[in-house]
Amino acid sequence: MFGGAHELSIDSKGRLAIPAKFRDLLLRRYTPAIVVTLDSRQKILMYPEAEWERVSQQLLSLKTAGNPMLQRYQNLLLHNADTLEWDGAGRVLLPVNLRRRVDFEKEVTLVGRANRLELWGREHWEHEMNQALDDDPDELAFQLSQTDLQL
């Protein structure tokens, strides 16, 4: 399972150094290849190949007829997916088409989220974390009580 947040920089050639912690996990449990795709202008999703296969099958099974927003999101993820392997220095070259569509260029935060990695623009990540910290704890407790989640 991926976890933790790492502040990184994308170099001038569009390469991102994957932290050794994440590379080691990929090599132990998966393959060195990762699939990257867009999620929004704020983040790029990065999946081990095996996880992406499962996710892409779920995306393909969505009932999108009559729901243009869901169809566009399905297309966003599937049409922008690209398989990458890291070089000898542990870097991946982020595809130009993905870099062109996100609202960040250099300063990023790479976050582990269980079965995937998320690449956020640093400012977007900070905003997301500050918003989560500012949420009303009583309202959050109520919302969690409405789920099956047990922490």
Side-chain angles (χ1 to χ4, degrees):
M1 301 296 261
F2 297 102
H6 300 268
E7 292 185 355
L8 305 168
S9 295
I10 298 172
D11 73 14
S12 62
K13 295 180 181 178
R15 296 176 299 194
L16 174 73
I18 303 295
K21 170 184 171 179
F22 293 149
R23 289 194 320 264
D24 292 345
L25 181 58
L26 283 164
L27 288 173
R28 272 192 323 229
R29 294 199 56 204
Y30 303 103
T31 67
I34 55 174
V35 177
V36 297
T37 192
L38 284 176
D39 176 68
S40 66
R41 291 196 186 279
Q42 288 78 37
K43 68 181 170 190
I44 293 173
L45 303 179
M46 306 172 85
Y47 289 92
E49 277 184 307
E51 292 293 331
W52 175 250
E53 288 175 21
R54 186 184 56 73
V55 168
S56 64
Q57 290 305 312
Q58 289 177 346
L59 286 166
L60 288 168
S61 70
L62 286 174
K63 307 274 188 266
T64 60
N67 189 332
M69 182 179 279
L70 193 54
Q71 176 70 55
R72 283 191 302 271
Y73 186 69
Q74 179 190 51
N75 290 343
L76 180 71
L77 270 69
L78 293 172
H79 294 174
N80 288 291
D82 200 354
T83 303
L84 310 176
E85 292 195 26
W86 58 74
D87 63 15
R91 299 171 301 196
V92 292
L93 177 61
L94 297 170
V96 172
N97 66 310
L98 297 187
R99 286 185 279 136
R100 188 176 63 232
R101 297 200 181 278
V102 292
D103 288 337
F104 56 86
E105 292 182 20
K106 183 177 169 116
E107 300 303 313
V108 295
T109 302
L110 185 63
V111 181
R113 184 171 178 149
N115 70 329
R116 71 178 186 223
L117 301 171
E118 297 178 352
L119 184 64
W120 290 75
R122 184 128 353 117
E123 288 180 16
H124 296 298
W125 175 251
E126 289 300 321
H127 175 77
E128 186 75 13
M129 289 299 95
N130 287 333
Q131 193 169 355
L133 289 169
D134 290 340
D135 283 345
D136 178 5
D138 292 331
E139 177 62 21
L140 178 58
F142 173 76
Q143 294 295 327
L144 287 171
S145 74
Q146 303 301 305
T147 72
D148 294 331
L149 182 65
Q150 304 221 351
L151 297 175

